[in-house]
Amino acid sequence: MITIKLIVFHAVILVTCGFSTVLVSTKPTIARRSLSFTILQSEMKDDYEKKNAAVNILSNFMQEQEQTEINLIDTINFSAPKCQKLPLDTLAQILDYELYTREWFVTGNVNPVYFSEKFEFQDPDVKLVGIENYARGVNKLFDQKTSRAEIISVNVNNDKTNTITVRWRLSGKVNIGPFGGLSIKPYICITDFTADPDTGLIIFQEDFFEIPQWDILLSALFPFLTGKLTSEPAPPVKRENYPVMPNISGDRMKDWNIFDGVLKKFKNIID
């Protein structure tokens, strides 16, 4: 039994670490990211940076999405006027409500009014530039019927300057593989949003995972090892309070507040 575990573990290590190379695009905008254990397939094909061999290999198995209906991301106005500068604790309350409602960590249904034009994303594998690139990549990577980003908490981080920290539970599937995608063992993610001190807009996002990347990958490829060689799934999220959107004055937020009210009513109906 120990020998089998060692063989499987070494195989994963070879895939994830043994062939690491870096290819940097000649263009400054990167449209590919790895979230958790895999790839975020590029919408711009060649504008990406490969930093992990497993990311490169698994990207060859990204499923093509059917273009039979309007893509949610195409309905987002990425040119919308930006939000006025807000106190960090107010922005944290807004993000709690927006993320709880939109789950944009997996849907890509971002609200661009909170993000700087200089926004950058980073996780352990890949960096990207631009909130639209992030939104399109996330939407393409995750199976939209099963994937969830359940928000546990959103708080101002007193240990990091101008930072809001989000804890959330990721679950569902990614669109990789020939048989309907790979299932994600539920696990906890930590996201740090850094706000620009001058504009108050989010200029940087960094994701961390509470379990090692080899655990995430191994659980996806060999689900029968979950709880044996790998960790148990993260427990379901139980929140007693529904986040409330702060009352923000200003014309720039008017349309978004109306839209959020509609979303809240719809969510109450389906719940």
Side-chain angles (χ1 to χ4, degrees):
M1 182 65 179
I2 295 177
T3 302
I4 294 175
K5 288 183 178 180
L6 287 174
I7 291 173
V8 173
F9 179 75
H10 287 156
V12 173
I13 294 299
L14 285 173
V15 171
T16 56
C17 302
F19 307 99
S20 293
T21 58
V22 177
L23 292 177
V24 180
S25 170
T26 57
K27 299 180 181 180
T29 301
I30 299 168
R32 189 181 204 157
R33 83 167 258 218
S34 167
L35 195 148
S36 48
F37 63 94
T38 55
I39 327 320
L40 185 150
Q41 177 72 16
S42 172
E43 285 287 327
M44 300 173 68
K45 301 300 181 185
D46 296 325
D47 298 343
Y48 60 83
E49 178 182 3
K50 301 176 185 177
K51 300 178 66 176
N52 184 295
V55 170
N56 185 25
I57 293 170
L58 288 173
S59 65
N60 296 322
F61 301 96
M62 176 69 73
Q63 298 176 12
E64 292 295 329
Q65 293 181 333
E66 296 183 4
Q67 301 297 323
T68 57
E69 54 187 45
I70 298 176
N71 190 310
L72 171 67
I73 309 305
D74 291 333
T75 67
I76 298 174
N77 181 9
F78 288 98
S79 299
K82 299 301 182 182
C83 175
Q84 61 189 339
K85 186 176 181 179
L86 300 168
L88 200 60
D89 58 344
T90 302
L91 181 59
Q93 293 179 53
I94 292 173
L95 290 175
D96 191 15
Y97 176 83
E98 292 273 40
L99 288 166
Y100 185 92
T101 304
R102 297 168 178 258
E103 298 191 24
W104 73 53
F105 291 142
V106 294
T107 65
N109 187 23
V110 301
N111 191 335
V113 301
Y114 309 120
F115 291 87
S116 168
E117 295 294 340
K118 300 177 181 179
F119 171 78
E120 296 184 11
F121 169 85
Q122 177 176 303
D123 74 3
D125 291 319
V126 178
K127 296 179 181 180
L128 69 80
V129 177
I131 188 59
E132 183 172 358
N133 288 334
Y134 171 86
R136 291 189 181 281
V138 166
N139 180 266
K140 189 169 186 178
L141 173 63
F142 290 102
D143 174 53
Q144 295 303 305
K145 295 180 180 179
T146 62
S147 297
R148 296 293 310 278
E150 299 172 273
I151 305 304
I152 301 171
S153 63
V154 181
N155 296 298
V156 174
N157 191 325
N158 294 322
D159 297 324
K160 297 181 180 180
T161 305
N162 296 322
T163 300
I164 295 170
T165 297
V166 184
R167 293 187 74 250
W168 53 287
R169 179 180 185 264
L170 174 63
S171 61
K173 287 184 177 181
V174 288
N175 295 315
I176 292 176
F179 304 111
L182 288 174
S183 294
I184 303 169
K185 175 182 70 177
Y187 65 95
I188 303 301
C189 301
I190 309 294
T191 294
D192 280 345
F193 287 118
T194 302
D196 186 309
D198 296 325
T199 65
L201 299 174
I202 299 169
I203 196 169
F204 184 65
Q205 175 183 334
E206 186 168 12
D207 285 2
F208 309 90
F209 317 126
E210 284 198 348
I211 60 177
Q213 288 174 283
W214 66 261
D215 187 320
I216 300 169
L217 179 60
L218 199 59
S219 299
L221 296 176
F222 308 103
F224 58 88
L225 294 177
T226 300
K228 300 180 178 67
L229 181 59
T230 64
S231 60
E232 294 285 351
V237 175
K238 295 181 180 180
R239 287 191 61 162
E240 297 181 356
N241 61 319
Y242 185 90
V244 177
M245 183 71 168
N247 184 14
I248 302 172
S249 60
D251 293 338
R252 290 185 176 183
M253 297 302 298
K254 182 178 179 182
D255 292 338
W256 286 110
N257 286 335
I258 294 174
F259 181 65
D260 286 331
V262 173
L263 284 177
K264 182 175 181 180
K265 291 181 180 179
F266 178 74
K267 187 172 182 63
N268 288 336
I269 292 173
I270 63 176
D271 287 345

